[in-house]
Amino acid sequence: MSRPSLVPRCRNLFNPAFTQRRRLTLHEHQAQDLLAQYQIPVPRGHLAATPAEVAFSVTSLGGNAVIKAQILAGGRGKGNIANGFKPGLRLVSSADEERDVSSTMLGQRLFTNETPSEGLPVDKVYVVEQLAAGHPFYLAITTDRTKACPVLVMSKGGSSAFEALTAAREPKSLVKAPLDYAKGVTAEVVSTICETFELHADSEHLTALLHNLFTFFKERDATRIEIKPLLRESTTGRLVCANPKVSIDNAASKRQAQIFDLHDRSQDMAVELEAEKYGLVYIQLEGNIGCLVNGAGLAMATNDAVAYYGGRCANFLDGGGQATKETMMKAFELILSDKRVNTILVNIYGGIIRCDMIAQSIIAAAQNFKDIPIVVRLQGTNAAQGQQMIAESGLKLHAVEEFGSAVQKAVELAGPSSATTRERSTPSREVLDEQENISSQQPIHSFARSSCPWGEQNRLAATQPHR
């Protein structure tokens, strides 16, 4: 039986501040350096950490440059610096301008619509040559999960135009081409792009650029490459990949060790770094209900259900397959380090690890957090025994078997969130029904059959029991 997707309803989980934690995201200057290694045309630029270095860089680029704050979030063009200066990138054409801009950016925190509430530190800026901009395009290679293959996306007008076209559902205004992993960008794909965007004169350069971009995507285990924008310079006619965004699959950290060494931990929250030490994944959200789950799919479903019943999650904490006393204690400590949290919801499916063992770990850890009510919902092997142990613990642990009831209990105990209440999503009874049968159903995400040679293999892998 086909299962409804939860993805459209999990709005806040697809905020870039959330999703970037699931993969390695690189700074703009790092992405440009890597792309240049694959003969992909990028603007000239220099990284600078002091006003003096900025001045030297601007001079070496001919006196006209763009100074860009380096943070791992988008929206810099509309962002605000903590000292009132804005935005997070500026055009400069004189020494006075350069000194003013660099001194007000460096050492400050930048706030955009994609940063955490406390902003992100600007320790360095990227000084880039000003390009004689002609026609901008949005270009990306990412993964189409429904077809289990890479997909190339291109539209006119840069990223903002792409978002507008997507929202308006105008497929004829953009190209979305699934790619065969073995064949890469074919002549047919290039021909379609040239025909759609009238780039016949650039077909040779475009072919080389797209081939090199896909080679980078494949060899470097990328999950996303975005060029925002791809520019055709008005003076030279060359195609240039400006402002690239690159994300690398976390699972490739050993194979891509040199790239992962580039990870800028100054951009990470301290609590997320602490969680990483214990094999946990912690991402802060905006509510007052702490959530401890195992598996990203179950976490998204839990977050969606909490929002449906009028609550808001304070975090996403994925405990994976770990359920020791020490791990549970650390998970609770991380959740309660957020002073907004006044209730914890534990929603765990015990597959390999038995639910009675999970219950023992929860009870042992909860001894140290007796003032916080904890709602526990366990499903899977020995779930009944585990739920009984929770109910008879004598602590402020609430054992609730049914998914919707567990969420409702947590929302009731938490009371109103300190954050502004979000508009509820479309009634999602199917979400709750789905989670009630999680122990006997396939994982939430499944790949459709596709023309990709390895799509069927991935589709079958996705239907195996979740581990």
Side-chain angles (χ1 to χ4, degrees):
M1 183 178 71
S2 62
R3 309 182 67 204
S5 172
L6 302 183
V7 171
R9 300 187 190 91
C10 300
R11 301 173 188 172
N12 58 326
L13 294 184
F14 286 86
N15 182 300
F18 178 95
T19 58
Q20 73 174 14
R21 311 301 186 193
R22 306 296 298 175
R23 55 188 180 258
L24 173 68
T25 302
L26 299 174
H27 282 296
E28 177 185 356
H29 69 91
Q30 296 169 333
Q32 284 200 184
D33 289 346
L34 289 171
L35 293 180
Q37 294 174 18
Y38 283 75
Q39 288 73 55
I40 296 169
V42 295
R44 294 179 299 148
H46 304 283
L47 189 64
T50 66
E53 291 177 356
V54 173
F56 176 82
S57 299
V58 171
T59 301
S60 66
L61 293 172
N64 294 313
V66 186
I67 300 179
K68 299 183 175 184
Q70 293 299 280
I71 62 169
L72 292 180
R76 293 173 299 175
K78 297 181 180 179
N80 298 304
I81 303 291
N83 56 18
F85 180 84
K86 57 182 170 182
L89 56 87
R90 291 287 292 271
L91 301 175
V92 296
S93 56
S94 70
D96 290 338
E97 282 185 299
E98 161 268 306
R99 280 191 295 270
D100 291 342
V101 172
S102 60
S103 61
T104 50
M105 277 191 190
L106 289 168
Q108 300 292 327
R109 300 187 77 85
L110 178 59
F111 300 83
T112 78
N113 62 333
E114 296 185 11
T115 62
S117 57
E118 67 273 19
L120 289 172
V122 181
D123 297 322
K124 296 179 181 179
V125 295
Y126 194 36
V127 185
V128 187
E129 66 173 320
Q130 287 191 36
L131 298 174
H135 301 291
F137 299 90
Y138 172 85
L139 174 63
I141 297 180
T142 185
T143 302
D144 187 332
R145 293 182 180 275
T146 61
K147 295 183 178 180
C149 67
V151 60
L152 185 150
V153 181
M154 187 168 174
S155 72
K156 280 186 177 180
S159 59
S160 58
F162 168 73
E163 292 166 2
L165 289 173
T166 303
R169 300 177 182 238
E170 296 185 24
K172 293 183 180 180
S173 301
L174 56 87
V175 171
K176 183 178 180 182
L179 302 177
D180 185 304
Y181 202 80
K183 297 178 181 178
V185 181
T186 63
E188 181 183 2
V189 172
V190 176
S191 177
T192 299
I193 291 174
C194 291
E195 184 70 28
T196 303
F197 304 118
E198 300 178 353
L199 292 173
H200 298 288
D202 301 294
S203 61
E204 184 178 347
H205 293 153
L206 184 63
T207 298
L209 186 153
L210 294 178
H211 276 302
N212 292 341
L213 204 62
F214 183 75
T215 300
F216 174 88
F217 180 88
K218 183 168 64 173
E219 291 184 356
R220 294 298 193 170
D221 295 291
T223 59
R224 176 188 65 170
I225 303 173
E226 283 187 292
I227 310 299
K228 308 194 309 181
L230 171 67
L231 288 173
R232 182 170 61 179
E233 278 197 292
S234 58
T235 54
T236 64
R238 68 169 182 153
L239 294 170
V240 183
C241 294
N243 190 28
K245 281 192 173 182
V246 172
S247 297
I248 308 296
D249 189 346
N250 274 345
S253 59
K254 303 299 182 185
R255 185 165 53 246
Q256 305 294 346
Q258 288 185 328
I259 294 181
F260 275 78
D261 286 342
L262 300 175
H263 183 194
D264 183 359
R265 294 188 176 275
S266 71
Q267 300 286 299
D268 293 337
M269 297 177 65
V271 65
E272 293 172 356
L273 294 175
E274 183 68 14
E276 190 178 307
K277 296 177 184 177
Y278 293 84
L280 305 171
V281 176
Y282 177 97
I283 298 168
Q284 185 169 301
L285 300 176
E286 300 171 341
N288 60 351
I289 299 175
C291 288
L292 172 56
V293 297
N294 62 333
L298 184 57
M300 289 192 290
T302 302
N303 185 281
D304 183 66
V306 168
Y308 173 67
Y309 282 113
R312 299 186 72 183
C313 293
N315 69 275
F316 166 106
L317 198 154
D318 179 2
Q322 306 176 77
T324 65
K325 174 185 174 182
E326 292 73 20
T327 301
M328 286 294 172
M329 283 190 64
K330 177 51 66 174
F332 288 152
E333 286 178 9
L334 293 170
I335 290 173
L336 293 174
S337 66
D338 184 345
K339 301 305 179 183
R340 301 170 302 171
V341 173
N342 58 17
T343 302
I344 296 176
L345 172 60
V346 179
N347 189 12
I348 292 181
Y349 170 63
I352 297 175
I353 301 178
R354 304 194 316 264
C355 288
D356 55 327
M357 296 174 60
I358 297 172
Q360 289 177 351
S361 298
I362 292 174
I363 292 170
Q367 298 280 351
N368 299 291
F369 309 102
K370 296 181 180 180
D371 295 332
I372 299 294
I374 302 174
V375 179
V376 182
R377 185 244 183 186
L378 302 176
Q379 286 292 304
T381 308
N382 291 352
Q385 296 95 312
Q387 290 289 90
Q388 183 177 359
M389 293 169 62
I390 295 294
E392 297 175 353
S393 66
L395 302 171
K396 294 180 72 173
L397 301 177
H398 303 265
V400 184
E401 180 179 355
E402 198 264 336
F403 179 61
S405 299
V407 173
Q408 283 182 293
K409 184 65 175 178
V411 172
E412 174 190 332
L413 291 170
S417 171
S418 58
T420 304
T421 302
R422 281 187 193 272
E423 177 185 354
R424 290 190 182 188
S425 58
T426 303
S428 49
R429 180 66 245 175
E430 67 270 23
V431 174
L432 307 181
D433 293 340
E434 182 175 13
Q435 287 305 305
E436 286 311 305
N437 298 316
I438 192 170
S439 60
S440 60
Q441 296 288 338
Q442 297 173 355
I444 291 169
H445 54 278
S446 61
F447 296 108
R449 296 175 185 269
S450 74
S451 59
C452 303
W454 48 285
E456 178 67 8
Q457 178 182 354
N458 279 0
R459 187 190 69 80
L460 293 174
T463 59
Q464 300 305 307
H466 179 66
R467 287 178 171 79

